[in-house]
Amino acid sequence: MMELKLERTEERLTRRTGLVLVDRFGKKIDLANKIDRAFGPPGSNRGMAASDYVLTLVEMLIDGAMHLEDVKDFERDEAYKLMTGREHYPTSDALGDWLRRKGGKEGEGEKKLMKVDAELVNASTKQSGPSGSRDKTLDVDASVIEADKGDAVYTYKEIRGYQPLLAACPEAGLFINSRFQHGNVNAQGDIKSFIDDSINLVPGMIKTVRIDSVGYNHFVFNYCFEKRLNFTITADHDVAVMEVVRKIPESAWEKGKNDDGTDANYRIAETIHTMNQCKDSFRLVVKKTKRVKQTDLFDGEYFYWIVATNFSKEEKSTQEVIHFHEKRGEMERMIGELKNHYNMDHFPCGQFSANSLYFAIGVFAFNLVQLLKQHYFGTEWRTKTLRSLRYYWFHLPSRLVFHARYIIARVAASVESFKQLDEAYLKLVSAPISYSP
C-alpha cells in the first residue's frame, strides 16, 4: 500500500453540489418573497429578511444539520455560496434570536409559515400528476417527541417532551398543517379545531378525514356530518362499542381478504352505532383476529380493530373500509421520516415558541423536498427518503472552475448519476414551471 499524505488545497470545492437543486427550486417559485410577505420586513434596514433565516434553516435540515452552530459549516463553504449566490449566512446566535422573536404567542410564527406552505400545496394539487385530483384524504396524527428542554413537560408516555399534531395528504405525500403542543396536552381536547384549520388551508381539496381514536368523539363526528366529509376513525373499545360488537351474529362474520384478494387471517363484520350528542348514526366496521397466546379479560379470545365510518356500503364495502383505514400507515411513515431524517427529534432552543417555529420549518423543508421530487426528479426517485437523496444527489462533491461569464461545477459522480443530476438542474433553470404557486 502506498503511503498517504494529507495536504490542504485552495481550490473551490464543495460536498453539497446537489443541494443547489433546493436553492434553484426556491428561486423558481419565488419562495423568498412569499416568506417575507408572511413575516413582514425586518426591524431595521440592516436586518436580514425572514427568508434568509427560514431558507438557511431549510438548507441545514435537508443537509443533515442537528444544531444551529452547524451553520458555520455553510458559511465556510465558499464554493456552495458561489453556486447559490449567497454572500453570508446568519450566525447561530442570530438564528436562535430570530426563532425566539418570531415564534410569537400561540404559535404565530408556525401559523404564518403554514400559510406559505399551504400556498405551495394548493398550487401543486391543482395540477395533474403525482399530486393530481382534489378529492383527497386528510390524515391527522399526534406524535410524541422527547426533548430535555426547560419548558418540556411529561407526556402520556412518561417522557419529557412535546406532542405536535400533524395533518397530511398522503395521496400527495405532503403535510398540510402542524400544531406544536406541550407534551401533557390532551390530544382529544381541540382536535376538531385543528381539522377545521387544516381543511381551511386547502379549500376544496379534502373529501375524507382519516384519524385514529384521538378523533373518536361527537365533536369530530358532528363536524364531518355538517361539512359533508367522509370519515374513517379508529373506535374506542368502550362499553357501548363492545356491547354492539358482541351482538353481531356469528353468521354475519366473513373471511377477510388481503389486498391481493387472498384469504387473510382475520374475519370482518359490521354494525350500526351512535353515541350521545352525535346527530347521526354511523357504521362500525370490525376486524377480529384470534389471539395466539392468551385470552384478554375484556375482549375475550379475539383482538378487535374497529373503524367508525360514514361511507355508505355502496361507496366502500366492509373490506374496503378496512383496507382504506389501514393506509394510515403512510402517514406514520411520513412522520417517521420527518422526525428521523430531518432531525425533528431534536430542538435547538429552550423556549416553546421558538421550537414551534423550528418544527414548522422542518415540516416546510419536508414538503419542499417532496415537491422537488414530484415535479423535477424521475419517477423512480419519488418514493426515496431524504437519506437516499443525500447519498445519491445532495452530497455529491464538485470543483468550481471559473470562466468569464459563468461558473462550471465539475461533479465527481458516475455517468448515470451526473446525467440524472444534469437533467433535473436543466429542467429547474430552463423549463417552464410545472405549477404556479
Side-chain angles (χ1 to χ4, degrees):
M1 178 183 292
M2 297 182 67
E3 184 179 353
L4 175 66
K5 292 185 178 182
L6 301 180
E7 292 183 353
R8 183 179 177 276
T9 179
E10 292 289 341
E11 292 182 293
R12 300 298 177 94
L13 307 173
T14 182
R15 64 166 183 83
R16 298 185 171 92
T17 307
L19 196 61
V20 76
L21 297 174
V22 177
D23 173 80
R24 291 296 188 273
F25 181 51
K27 289 180 169 66
K28 195 177 187 76
I29 61 177
D30 197 25
L31 196 52
N33 283 333
K34 290 175 171 49
I35 294 169
D36 292 339
R37 284 198 302 270
F39 283 89
S44 67
N45 293 332
R46 299 177 61 186
M48 282 188 166
S51 57
D52 289 322
Y53 294 102
V54 172
L55 295 179
T56 292
L57 288 167
V58 163
E59 285 188 335
M60 289 172 62
L61 292 172
I62 294 172
D63 191 57
M66 291 188 65
H67 308 282
L68 297 184
E69 290 78 9
D70 295 336
V71 73
K72 295 175 182 177
D73 195 40
F74 276 81
E75 181 63 31
R76 288 191 291 259
D77 194 337
E78 296 295 336
Y80 183 70
K81 288 197 293 186
L82 282 168
M83 292 172 70
T84 59
R86 193 79 176 259
E87 292 185 5
H88 293 288
Y89 285 91
T91 65
S92 57
D93 287 343
L95 286 170
D97 289 341
W98 185 83
L99 287 170
R100 285 184 283 271
R101 283 188 290 108
K102 294 298 183 179
K105 297 179 180 179
E106 298 181 356
E108 292 173 4
E110 179 183 37
K111 291 174 183 176
K112 289 176 181 178
L113 192 58
M114 285 299 98
K115 288 181 179 178
V116 179
D117 180 73
E119 189 178 349
L120 304 183
V121 173
N122 274 311
S124 177
T125 54
K126 286 177 183 176
Q127 308 302 312
S128 59
S131 301
S133 68
R134 302 287 286 175
D135 292 339
K136 298 189 181 300
T137 305
L138 183 78
D139 266 329
V140 179
D141 207 349
S143 180
V144 172
I145 301 177
E146 185 173 4
D148 187 20
K149 297 296 178 182
D151 64 348
V153 295
Y154 280 97
T155 71
Y156 70 93
K157 291 187 175 181
E158 299 183 353
I159 59 174
R160 290 181 64 203
Y162 304 109
Q163 191 179 173
L165 269 175
L166 286 159
C169 174
E171 296 97 338
L174 302 170
F175 286 108
I176 291 173
N177 196 13
S178 75
R179 181 183 287 175
F180 203 68
Q181 301 181 130
H182 288 289
N184 63 350
V185 72
N186 178 5
Q188 273 196 333
D190 211 15
I191 192 71
K192 189 201 81 169
S193 73
F194 180 68
I195 293 172
D196 188 53
D197 289 346
S198 302
I199 289 175
N200 288 335
L201 283 172
V202 286
M205 175 178 164
I206 300 301
K207 183 70 177 295
T208 303
V209 174
R210 185 167 56 193
I211 187 171
D212 64 8
S213 58
V214 72
Y216 189 76
N217 61 67
H218 70 272
F219 299 108
V220 175
F221 286 131
N222 289 338
Y223 173 83
C224 290
F225 281 121
E226 290 168 6
K227 299 293 183 179
R228 297 184 178 180
L229 295 166
N230 293 321
F231 62 78
T232 65
I233 301 173
T234 307
D236 287 336
H237 286 207
D238 59 32
V239 174
V241 167
M242 296 311 299
E243 183 178 351
V244 297
V245 167
R246 291 193 180 96
K247 287 181 179 178
I248 298 174
E250 185 61 30
S251 59
W253 292 94
E254 301 175 358
K255 190 75 173 177
K257 298 289 183 180
N258 298 312
D259 285 334
D260 59 4
T262 58
D263 288 343
N265 65 342
Y266 60 83
R267 301 175 72 193
I268 58 174
E270 66 173 83
T271 187
I272 300 297
H273 187 51
T274 189
M275 62 169 62
N276 293 335
Q277 298 178 287
C278 188
K279 298 177 181 178
D280 296 272
S281 59
F282 46 87
R283 297 161 68 194
L284 285 182
V285 174
V286 188
K287 167 184 171 182
K288 72 174 182 179
T289 308
K290 198 171 184 64
R291 295 182 184 275
V292 177
K293 292 185 178 180
Q294 61 184 14
T295 299
D296 184 85
L297 180 62
F298 300 101
D299 289 351
E301 62 180 315
Y302 291 100
F303 171 79
Y304 293 94
W305 191 61
I306 309 167
V307 180
T309 183
N310 63 346
F311 275 113
S312 68
K313 287 188 177 182
E314 290 72 28
E315 291 173 304
K316 288 192 185 298
S317 67
T318 307
Q319 186 66 75
E320 287 170 339
V321 170
I322 294 293
H323 286 327
F324 177 79
H325 200 62
E326 285 175 336
K327 290 180 180 177
R328 285 193 68 254
E330 176 61 20
M331 172 67 162
E332 293 169 1
R333 186 203 64 78
M334 291 172 64
I335 292 176
E337 182 172 354
L338 176 68
K339 289 169 63 174
N340 300 319
H341 297 194
Y342 290 79
N343 297 326
M344 285 293 105
D345 55 353
H346 174 84
F347 293 99
C349 301
Q351 293 77 25
F352 177 85
S353 60
N355 288 332
S356 72
L357 180 51
Y358 184 79
F359 185 78
I361 292 172
V363 173
F364 192 62
F366 179 99
N367 278 359
L368 283 179
V369 172
Q370 291 295 101
L371 291 171
L372 182 64
K373 289 192 299 183
Q374 292 174 6
H375 294 280
Y376 296 101
F377 286 18
T379 55
E380 70 275 18
W381 292 97
R382 288 174 184 161
T383 58
K384 301 290 187 183
T385 66
L386 177 61
R387 283 180 182 168
S388 294
L389 295 178
R390 285 183 191 138
Y391 185 81
Y392 288 103
W393 290 72
F394 295 154
H395 287 174
L396 289 173
S398 67
R399 177 168 66 94
L400 299 193
V401 179
F402 298 86
H403 283 260
R405 290 177 295 177
Y406 52 88
I407 301 171
I408 296 175
R410 292 186 171 165
V411 187
S414 67
V415 173
E416 182 180 356
S417 294
F418 177 76
K419 182 180 178 182
Q420 291 178 324
L421 176 68
D422 194 43
E423 286 177 354
Y425 180 76
L426 291 175
K427 193 174 180 180
L428 264 170
V429 298
S430 60
I433 193 166
S434 55
Y435 64 97
S436 302

